[in-house]
Amino acid sequence: MNMIKQCNSSKLEPLIRVENLSFDYDNLKNPLISDISFSIDHGETVLLMGGSGSGKSTISLCLNGLYPDAVEGFSSGEIYFKGKQTTEFNKGELNQQIGVVFQDPESQFCMITVEDELAFTLENLKTPREEIGLRITKVLEEVGLSDYRNHKIHELSGGQKQKVALASALIQQPSLLILDEPTANLDPVSSIEFITLIRRLKEQHHIAVLIIEHQADDWLALINRVLVLGKNGDIIANGTSEQVFNDQRERLIQEGIFIPKVFMKAKKYITKSCEEISSSTKPCLTVKDLTFKRKGDVILNKVNLSLYEGEFVAITGENGAGKSTLLQLMSGILKPSQGKIEFLGQSFTKWKEQQLRKQMGFVFQNPEHQFITDTVFDEVAFGMTLNNYGEELTSQRTNDLLKHFQLSELKWRNPFSLSGGQKRRLSVATMLDETPDLLLFDEPTFGQDAQTTEELMFFIKHLQEQGTTIVFVTHDMDLVDTYCERVFVLNNQKIKFEGSPSELWEQTQTLKEARLRLPYRIRHQKKAGEPYDFVY
Amino acid sequence: MISSINPSVKAGAILIPGVLLGLMFDIFTPLIYLIFIIIVTFAFSHISIKKWLLIFSPFVLLALGFAWMRMLYTSEAFDSGPVLIQFWHIEITKGAMEVAASLALRSLCFVALSLLFVLTTDSTKFMLSLMQQCKLSPKLTYGVLAGYRFLPTFKHELDVLRQAHRIRGVGRAKGIRGRIQQFRRYSIPLLANAIRKAERVAIAMESKGFTGERERTHYHEMKVTKRDWYFFGTLVGTFFLVVFLSYSLGFLNIFGKDIN
Amino acid sequence: MTNQWKLKEIVLMSVLGVVFAVIYLMFFFFGQGLRNFLMPFGLGEFGYEIIFGIWFIVSIIAAYIIRKPGVAFTSELIAGVVQVLLGSPAGPMLILTAAIQGAGAEFAFAITKWRDYRLRVLIAAGVFAAVFSFAWHLYSSGNIALATWLIIATFAVRIVSGALLAGVLGKWISDQLAKTGVLRGYALGKEQQEQREHDQAV
Ligand SMILES: Nc1ncnc2c1ncn2[C@@H]1O[C@H](COP(=O)(O)OP(=O)(O)OP(=O)(O)O)[C@@H](O)[C@H]1O
Ligand SMILES: Nc1ncnc2c1ncn2[C@@H]1O[C@H](COP(=O)(O)OP(=O)(O)OP(=O)(O)O)[C@@H](O)[C@H]1O
Ligand SMILES: [Mg+2]
Ligand SMILES: [Mg+2]
C-alpha cells in the first residue's frame, strides 16, 4: 500500500529534491556547500563522493532537516521531500522517513541495550506496544544480530555497532536511507557482507539509499547514480558511474577522489612499489611469547614477532582480532600479562619514558584519542615544543606538515570540530614532527580520499627511506599489496601468517579464516565474476 | 521480590521514612527500623550478603567517626544528663552519647534504605518509570539516559587520555603549577569530548524521530500493581509502627524533646 | 519549561551530571581523607565543609553555559539522579539533597531574572546553594545537635567553599571549555564568538 503510493507519486516528483542549497557553519560569505541542486528518485541508489572535508556528512544532515537547526549553522535554498518543503514538516515527521547511519558509530545511540535502542525508535513512531517486539525481531534477523538482542551496545565490536546503527535506521521503514561511510572500520569480509546486506534489503523494501564512501569499488554493482561534491562545495559530477568515472576522470583525480579500479588504466594499480624485502636484519622491536588478558579472557596468546630496522610491515585480521591491542602493547602503553618486548635491544622495563617516546611514535585507531590540545596548530607543534626546538623551527615545521596534510586553513580550529578524515590526518601529523626509529599506525588511512592517502603514504615512505620502521594496522588489502614488505595476520589470539604479501595471497585458507580478501590486483588477474566471489 | 517493585513507588517508600527519620533523636527508633530494613533486604531480594556487607561496612566506620564528632561538640540542648566519660578536658554526658548514637544509627538507616533501592533497581526501568508514573517529560528522561550511556565509556576515555599523554611524551607533573596544568590537560579534553558526543547523540536521537512530545507508546510499560502498594505500605507503615512503639515505651525523642 | 530547552542542552546537562557524578564520588573519598586528617585536631567536622562547594559546581557550569531558567536546578537534580543510577549508596535521598542545592543556585539566577552571568552572580549562586544545603543538613544529618559555635564555623566554611569551588572554579572550567570551541552551539560559546568578532572589528 505504502509502496504503491510511493511508486505513482514518484512519476510526478522525485523522493527528495534539493534546490540551490548553501550551508556553512560560520557565515554564508563563502559557504562550505554552495548553491547545489540535485534530486534522488524513489528506490534509487546514489553514491555521494567528495574529498575529505568537502561537506558530505554535512549534506546528509541537511537532507533530513537536522541542520542548520541542530548545530550553529546558516543555510539558504530549499529541500523538497516528496514534493513538500522540509521546513513545512512537523518536528520529527521528516526524520521518521529518513534513516541515517552516522559516520561515528560510537555516539549515535541513546539506550544501553540493543533492544531498547530499537524500541526507542519505534516508540517515537508511536508504534503499538505489541507490534514493537515483532518488528525488533524481524529487523534483527535482517541484519543478522538476533543473538545480540539483549547485549549492551558499548560492549559490541565496531562492526556490530555499525549493524545496530543500520538496524535502528531500517526499523522505522524509511523511504530514504543515508549511510555515511558505513564500512570505514570493517574488516574486508564484513564490509562485503554489509554491502550484500544493503543490496538484499533494497530488493525486499523499495527504499532509496544515499551512500557516502571514498572507495566506491565494491558498491558499483549497486548504485544507479554518482554525485561528486567538489572542493569548493559545488556538485562537479552527476551521472551513472560510467559517465562520471570515464568522462570526468581527470577532473575527479584533480579533486583527489578515488577512481574505482575497474575504471583505471590497467598498469596504474598493477605497479607494485616494493617487491624486495628490506635487506636489514638488525631487529628494531621483538615480541617474545606475549600474552594479554582483558578481564580474564585471553586476547593475545603467546604471540611472537620481530620487526627489522627500516621495514614496512602490516598487521591485519578480522574485527576484534586484537590488532589494536597488540599495537598498544608494542608501544608499551599496555602492559603484557606475560612475555616481554624488546625495543632496540633493550627491554621496555629498562627504557626511560621520555626517551622511549622520542624514539617511537603511535597513532590511535580513534583519532580523537590522540588530541590533547585546543587547536590544530598546537597539536602538531606540541611534540616539538616539548623537545624544545626553537620558536622559529617549530612554527616552520608545523606549517609544512599542516600544508602537506591540507589542514592549513583549519590551523586555529579545535581538533574535535574537524571532519572524520581531517581528524585522521591531524592525528597522523602529530607523530611526524621528527624521525623516530619506530612508527606504529592503527588504521591510518581510513576515511581518506585518494589525494590525502597519497600524501600520507608519500610522507610515510619518505620516513621509511630515512630508516624508520613502519607498522600499519589496516583492513585495506590494496594498501598492504602496494606498500608493505611483510604482513602479519592475527587470528584467534595468535599470529597465523607471517611473510610477504604475495605469499599471503596464495594462502586461500588463511585469508578465509581471518576474513581477509585478495587485493584488486590479484582478483583482477583471477578475473572473478560475482562481486561476492571477489573475496577469495 | 523487591527487584520487581515499581521503581517510583520503591523510591517513595524509601524517601518518606528517610526524611522523617530526621526528626528522631533517640536510639531506639532508628535501631529497630534499621534491623527491620536489613531483614526486608535479605528476605525479599537476591542481594548476596557478602556484597551487601562489602558496601555497608565502610559506612559503619564512617558512622562511628560521625558519632564521635557529634559526641565531642554537642549543643547544650542535648548535652544533658550525668557525665559518663571524662578524660583530660573532655567530658561526655549521657545525652551527648545518646544523640551521637542516634545520629549514627540514622545515617546507617539511610545507607541501608538506599542499598535496598540501588541494588534492586535497573537504571533504565527507573527512568522509564519516572516518565510513566511521575510524568517526567520524555525529553528529560531520554536526555538523562543518553548521557548515562557515556558512563561505561567514561573510564575507558580516561585511560585512553592517560595513554595519549604518555604517547605524546608528557611526563608526570611536578609542583603545584604542574599539577594544575595537568588537571587542566585532563579535565578539559575529557569534558570537551563529552560535550561533543552529547551534541552528536542529541542529533542522532532527533534523526530517529524523537521530538520529546509526551504522547508516545511504551515498549516497557511500567505498571503499578497492588504488590507495589503493599511494599510501600509495609515500609512506611512499619516506620510509624516503630515510632509509636518507641513512643509507648517512652524512648521517643523528637528534636531533643522527650515525648512522653 | 523543558520545552524551551533543546534536546542537546538536556543531554549536555546529563553528560555533565555523569562526569561530575564520578568526580563527586572521588571527592567523597577525598573528604574522608581530609576528615581523618583533621580529626586529631578535633576539626574533623570541617573535612567535608572545606570541599563542599564541589557539590554545587554542576549547577553553576550548566547555568553559565546554557543560560536558561531552571537549568541550575535541573542540572543539579540530574546529577543527583545519575549518581543514584550509578548506585551511589546515598540513594534516593541524594536526589532530594541535589534538588535543594540546585534550588539554592537557581535562586541566585532568578534574582537577576536569568540575565546576568557575571562572576559575582555565579559566586552568589554558589553561596546560596551552600546556604540551602546547610539548612537541609541541619535537619537531615542532625547537625542541629552540634554546639552553636561549631555550626556557625562550619556554615562560614561551607559558604566560602561554595563561593570558590562552585562559583569561581565553575566559571574557570566553563571558560576553558568555551576556548576549545565545543560550546559554539550554546549561549556561552555564542557570546564568546560575538566577543571575538567584536574584537576583530575593533
Ligand atoms: N560541528 C562543526 N563545527 C564546525 N565545523 C565543522 C563541524 N563539522 C564539520 N565541520 C567542518 O565542515 C567541513 C565539512 O565537514 P564534513 O564532516 O561534512 O566533511 P566530510 O565530507 O564528511 O569529510 P570526511 O569525508 O572526512 O568525513 C570540514 O571542513 C569540517 O572541518
Ligand atoms: N577497552 C576495552 N575493554 C574491554 N574489551 C575490549 C576493550 N577494547 C577492546 N576490547 C576487546 O578486545 C578484543 C580486541 O580488541 P581490538 O580493538 O584489539 O580488536 P581490533 O583487531 O583492533 O578490532 P578492529 O579491527 O575492529 O579495530 C575485542 O574482542 C574487543 O571486544
Ligand atoms: Mg564525513
Ligand atoms: Mg582496532
Side-chain angles (χ1 to χ4, degrees):
Chain A
M1 156 63 203
N2 188 0
M3 250 188 58
I4 298 159
K5 213 166 62 246
Q6 287 180 357
C7 293
N8 50 32
S9 68
S10 68
K11 297 196 176 41
L12 325 163
E13 175 71 30
L15 177 62
I16 196 157
R17 181 157 52 88
V18 178
E19 283 185 357
N20 314 95
L21 174 71
S22 297
F23 178 91
D24 194 272
Y25 287 95
D26 297 322
N27 54 53
L28 285 173
K29 283 199 199 68
N30 58 352
L32 173 68
I33 296 164
S34 66
D35 192 32
I36 62 171
S37 306
F38 66 92
S39 66
I40 300 172
D41 272 323
H42 292 269
E44 194 181 22
T45 312
V46 178
L47 173 68
L48 174 59
M49 299 186 86
S52 170
S54 56
K56 302 181 295 299
S57 303
T58 308
I59 288 186
S60 70
L61 285 162
C62 290
L63 285 186
N64 64 359
L66 286 172
Y67 279 18
D69 191 34
V71 297
E72 287 318 296
F74 308 85
S75 73
S76 67
E78 295 85 43
I79 302 173
Y80 296 90
F81 186 81
K82 293 183 177 171
K84 186 175 168 188
Q85 194 161 352
T86 50
T87 49
E88 287 163 10
F89 284 84
N90 307 340
K91 210 161 175 296
E93 194 184 347
L94 181 65
N95 300 321
Q96 295 168 0
Q97 305 209 39
I98 302 180
V100 190
V101 174
F102 291 90
Q103 190 166 5
D104 172 14
E106 295 302 327
S107 50
Q108 55 182 298
F109 306 111
C110 62
M111 302 296 271
I112 310 268
T113 68
V114 174
E115 183 181 36
D116 290 351
E117 182 65 36
L118 296 174
F120 170 75
T121 313
L122 290 179
E123 288 169 354
N124 296 337
L125 299 168
K126 305 193 185 63
T127 315
R129 195 154 133 275
E130 313 66 46
E131 197 184 324
I132 293 181
L134 301 175
R135 275 171 71 173
I136 291 179
T137 317
K138 186 160 160 298
V139 81
L140 283 178
E141 273 166 16
E142 283 181 336
V143 299
L145 281 180
S146 302
D147 308 350
Y148 293 88
R149 184 172 186 140
N150 297 315
H151 280 233
K152 293 197 171 74
I153 294 176
H154 61 84
E155 286 172 358
L156 299 177
S157 88
Q160 291 162 330
K161 284 201 189 104
Q162 216 43 291
K163 286 182 182 169
V164 176
L166 177 66
S168 56
L170 285 173
I171 202 166
Q172 45 186 313
Q173 296 174 338
S175 34
L176 174 62
L177 181 63
I178 299 177
L179 307 171
D180 193 346
E181 299 189 30
T183 63
N185 271 316
L186 299 187
D187 61 53
V189 173
S190 301
S191 65
I192 291 288
E193 285 173 355
F194 189 91
I195 293 166
T196 355
L197 170 62
I198 299 294
R199 160 186 272 190
R200 205 177 65 242
L201 291 168
K202 276 193 63 65
E203 284 156 6
Q204 286 162 9
H205 322 281
H206 178 83
I207 40 175
V209 185
L210 177 68
I211 302 154
I212 299 174
E213 272 288 0
H214 285 292
Q215 306 226 18
D217 303 73
D218 303 324
W219 293 95
L220 286 176
L222 215 68
I223 54 184
N224 311 107
R225 200 149 52 84
V226 181
L227 279 171
V228 182
L229 193 62
K231 278 238 177 341
N232 39 20
D234 50 351
I235 290 195
I236 58 173
N238 180 356
T240 66
S241 38
E242 286 73 16
Q243 292 166 348
V244 172
F245 294 122
N246 285 329
D247 310 352
Q248 287 172 284
R249 185 186 299 117
E250 297 319 316
R251 177 75 197 280
L252 297 193
I253 290 172
Q254 281 170 14
E255 287 283 337
I257 285 155
F258 274 109
I259 306 298
K261 302 190 184 56
V262 277
F263 291 103
M264 273 201 231
K265 306 189 191 60
K267 55 184 178 329
K268 271 209 86 171
Y269 52 80
I270 292 182
T271 50
K272 219 168 154 343
S273 63
C274 53
E275 204 39 86
E276 80 296 339
I277 303 297
S278 69
S279 51
S280 162
T281 53
K282 218 157 153 293
C284 171
L285 181 133
T286 51
V287 175
K288 295 207 187 79
D289 299 326
L290 172 125
T291 299
F292 184 76
K293 298 196 184 72
R294 237 192 210 113
K295 303 197 195 87
D297 47 13
V298 181
I299 308 293
L300 297 169
N301 185 5
K302 293 229 178 314
V303 170
N304 285 293
L305 63 81
S306 45
L307 310 171
Y308 300 105
E309 286 187 357
E311 70 175 338
F312 198 135
V313 176
I315 300 174
T316 183
E318 68 177 302
N319 288 115
K323 303 182 294 298
S324 302
T325 311
L326 177 58
L327 212 63
Q328 285 167 13
L329 286 157
M330 288 162 73
S331 71
I333 50 177
L334 283 183
K335 292 264 158 290
S337 313
Q338 286 157 35
K340 61 184 286 213
I341 305 174
E342 280 187 359
F343 178 51
L344 302 177
Q346 197 181 122
S347 154
F348 268 150
T349 48
K350 293 205 185 64
W351 275 92
K352 280 218 168 31
E353 182 77 13
Q354 221 75 11
Q355 198 52 34
L356 186 63
R357 295 311 158 201
K358 253 198 164 72
Q359 302 199 307
M360 153 191 309
F362 179 93
V363 175
F364 287 91
Q365 178 170 5
N366 177 347
E368 298 191 349
H369 290 162
Q370 202 92 12
F371 304 148
I372 60 177
T373 70
D374 297 343
T375 71
V376 171
F377 185 90
D378 294 343
E379 276 304 332
V380 179
F382 190 84
M384 303 181 217
T385 7
L386 212 61
N387 306 332
N388 37 39
Y389 291 31
E391 273 294 329
E392 200 60 27
L393 188 58
T394 306
S395 64
Q396 183 222 332
R397 288 276 290 121
T398 308
N399 286 321
D400 297 354
L401 274 166
L402 290 176
K403 195 151 129 294
H404 273 290
F405 287 89
Q406 302 170 13
L407 295 167
S408 303
E409 304 76 45
L410 307 167
K411 217 188 253 186
W412 303 121
R413 282 273 295 286
N414 176 268
F416 286 97
S417 77
L418 299 178
S419 82
Q422 292 165 332
K423 279 190 195 129
R424 177 32 90 197
R425 296 206 292 284
L426 177 58
S427 62
V428 172
T430 57
M431 280 296 135
L432 302 183
D433 49 11
E434 46 202 318
T435 49
D437 300 81
L438 176 62
L439 274 173
L440 305 165
F441 296 99
D442 201 339
E443 305 190 17
T445 56
F446 81 78
Q448 296 305 312
D449 58 42
Q451 190 176 359
T452 51
T453 309
E454 208 158 282
E455 283 280 3
L456 214 124
M457 293 317 295
F458 168 82
F459 235 90
I460 292 168
K461 275 310 252 183
H462 181 66
L463 282 169
Q464 187 202 1
E465 279 144 25
Q466 297 176 351
T468 305
T469 311
I470 308 288
V471 181
F472 264 31
V473 167
T474 183
H475 292 303
D476 182 341
M477 292 302 121
D478 298 310
L479 195 94
V480 174
D481 188 49
T482 330
Y483 292 97
C484 298
E485 296 150 0
R486 284 200 306 153
V487 50
F488 297 91
V489 176
L490 205 55
N491 189 237
N492 44 38
Q493 307 163 359
K494 288 192 171 298
I495 301 262
K496 272 287 146 54
F497 171 90
E498 168 177 358
S500 77
S502 26
E503 282 162 23
L504 176 59
W505 311 142
E506 306 302 320
Q507 308 276 334
T508 318
Q509 190 53 30
T510 317
L511 291 171
K512 213 187 194 72
E513 284 168 4
R515 296 173 67 78
L516 304 176
R517 66 193 296 211
L518 293 170
Y520 184 81
R521 183 173 64 95
I522 309 295
R523 295 203 307 268
H524 183 73
Q525 286 164 4
K526 294 196 172 177
K527 280 268 173 288
E530 259 300 289
Y532 196 80
D533 298 343
F534 272 26
V535 186
Y536 310 120
Chain B
M1 278 299 125
I2 300 173
S3 47
S4 64
I5 300 290
N6 178 291
S8 302
V9 178
K10 205 191 295 178
I14 287 187
L15 274 174
I16 293 174
V19 175
L20 292 180
L21 268 170
L23 296 165
M24 309 303 159
F25 282 78
D26 62 311
I27 298 180
F28 184 82
T29 319
L31 178 63
I32 302 300
Y33 198 59
L34 178 61
I35 294 167
F36 164 72
I37 298 160
I38 295 174
I39 293 170
V40 172
T41 307
F42 292 116
F44 301 104
S45 78
H46 299 300
I47 305 168
S48 79
I49 301 190
K50 190 160 158 298
K51 184 179 179 191
W52 190 84
L53 284 175
L54 218 60
I55 311 176
F56 191 77
S57 36
F59 287 91
V60 177
L61 297 179
L62 224 155
L64 289 178
F66 190 71
W68 177 241
M69 296 311 307
R70 293 289 176 281
M71 222 170 335
L72 292 186
Y73 312 105
T74 320
S75 75
E76 301 72 19
F78 298 90
D79 205 353
S80 58
V83 174
L84 298 181
I85 309 167
Q86 186 163 31
F87 52 98
W88 65 91
H89 59 86
I90 301 172
E91 45 184 50
I92 292 162
T93 61
K94 182 163 173 300
M97 186 81 94
E98 277 177 6
V99 171
S102 165
L103 293 179
L105 285 167
R106 179 198 294 180
S107 66
L108 289 181
C109 273
F110 288 169
V111 176
L113 279 167
S114 305
L115 290 184
L116 183 61
F117 182 87
V118 293
L119 294 180
T120 63
T121 311
D122 169 71
S123 41
T124 308
K125 290 212 171 71
F126 179 42
M127 291 311 296
L128 292 181
S129 154
L130 281 180
M131 171 172 68
Q132 292 176 36
Q133 270 77 49
C134 309
K135 299 285 161 270
L136 183 67
S137 88
K139 225 177 188 173
L140 271 173
T141 310
Y142 288 101
V144 171
L145 279 173
Y148 173 66
R149 251 200 98 255
F150 285 118
L151 191 80
T153 59
F154 187 70
K155 192 194 164 303
H156 180 226
E157 290 273 325
L158 201 84
D159 297 342
V160 167
L161 204 68
R162 200 171 290 117
Q163 293 179 341
H165 280 83
R166 289 184 54 189
I167 288 301
R168 306 295 297 278
V170 186
R172 288 261 139 272
K174 295 175 210 61
I176 295 299
R177 280 193 82 265
R179 287 280 162 73
I180 294 173
Q181 275 279 331
Q182 192 174 27
F183 169 77
R184 194 203 163 287
R185 257 209 241 93
Y186 274 75
S187 57
I188 299 306
L190 213 58
L191 278 166
N193 205 347
I195 291 171
R196 277 240 168 262
K197 289 208 176 121
E199 198 163 11
R200 279 188 221 145
V201 169
I203 291 174
M205 286 166 81
E206 280 172 349
S207 82
K208 293 175 187 188
F210 180 71
T211 56
E213 62 183 350
R214 286 190 178 276
E215 59 278 7
R216 58 190 279 117
T217 52
H218 302 298
Y219 181 50
H220 301 288
E221 201 161 338
M222 292 291 157
K223 292 207 189 61
V224 182
T225 62
K226 277 211 185 60
R227 287 181 54 259
D228 301 316
W229 290 121
Y230 291 151
F231 176 82
F232 185 87
T234 322
L235 251 65
V236 178
T238 312
F239 176 76
F240 286 110
L241 205 69
V242 172
V243 172
F244 178 75
L245 200 64
S246 58
Y247 168 72
S248 39
L249 296 179
F251 290 115
L252 190 62
N253 171 330
I254 292 176
F255 272 120
K257 290 175 210 56
D258 285 319
I259 311 288
N260 46 30
Chain C
M1 181 167 69
T2 56
N3 306 346
Q4 309 158 5
W5 296 341
K6 288 188 180 171
L7 181 62
K8 71 176 181 183
E9 291 169 336
I10 294 176
V11 180
L12 173 69
M13 289 190 223
S14 166
V15 168
L16 288 176
V18 170
V19 175
F20 281 97
V22 177
I23 292 175
Y24 288 175
L25 213 60
M26 288 196 269
F27 268 79
F28 173 76
F29 294 112
F30 180 54
Q32 270 311 301
L34 220 52
R35 182 200 200 112
N36 299 341
F37 171 73
L38 293 169
M39 193 79 83
F41 312 101
L43 298 173
E45 202 54 38
F46 293 90
Y48 278 106
E49 300 302 336
I50 294 169
I51 56 166
F52 216 98
I54 270 296
W55 272 273
F56 318 140
I57 200 169
V58 165
S59 292
I60 280 78
I61 292 182
Y64 182 50
I65 291 177
I66 299 173
R67 307 191 169 188
K68 288 185 180 175
V71 169
F73 173 74
T74 316
S75 56
E76 191 72 36
L77 190 61
I78 289 176
V81 172
V82 168
Q83 284 178 79
V84 175
L85 296 184
L86 300 185
S88 154
M93 290 293 284
L94 197 110
I95 301 180
L96 214 58
T97 318
I100 289 163
Q101 294 169 357
E106 191 68 50
F107 183 67
F109 294 111
I111 293 173
T112 65
K113 298 215 173 44
W114 297 280
R115 292 214 191 89
D116 185 350
Y117 288 89
R118 281 171 299 177
L119 181 59
R120 66 187 71 153
V121 181
L122 301 186
I123 288 178
V127 170
F128 275 113
V131 174
F132 277 49
S133 79
F134 195 84
W136 166 243
H137 283 117
L138 277 183
Y139 170 75
S140 73
S141 45
N143 293 357
I144 192 84
L146 285 170
T148 327
W149 70 267
L150 188 58
I151 293 183
I152 295 169
T154 46
F155 185 52
V157 174
R158 188 179 292 198
I159 285 187
V160 174
S161 173
L164 296 180
L165 284 183
V168 177
L169 183 62
K171 184 180 193 304
W172 182 77
I173 291 178
S174 314
D175 289 336
Q176 292 294 323
L177 276 173
K179 274 213 205 98
T180 69
V182 293
L183 295 178
R184 63 195 299 285
Y186 306 89
L188 175 59
K190 282 180 219 160
E191 183 195 67
Q192 305 226 340
Q193 187 81 17
E194 285 154 15
Q195 197 68 46
R196 241 173 277 116
E197 275 155 16
H198 178 265
D199 295 350
Q200 285 161 2
V202 172

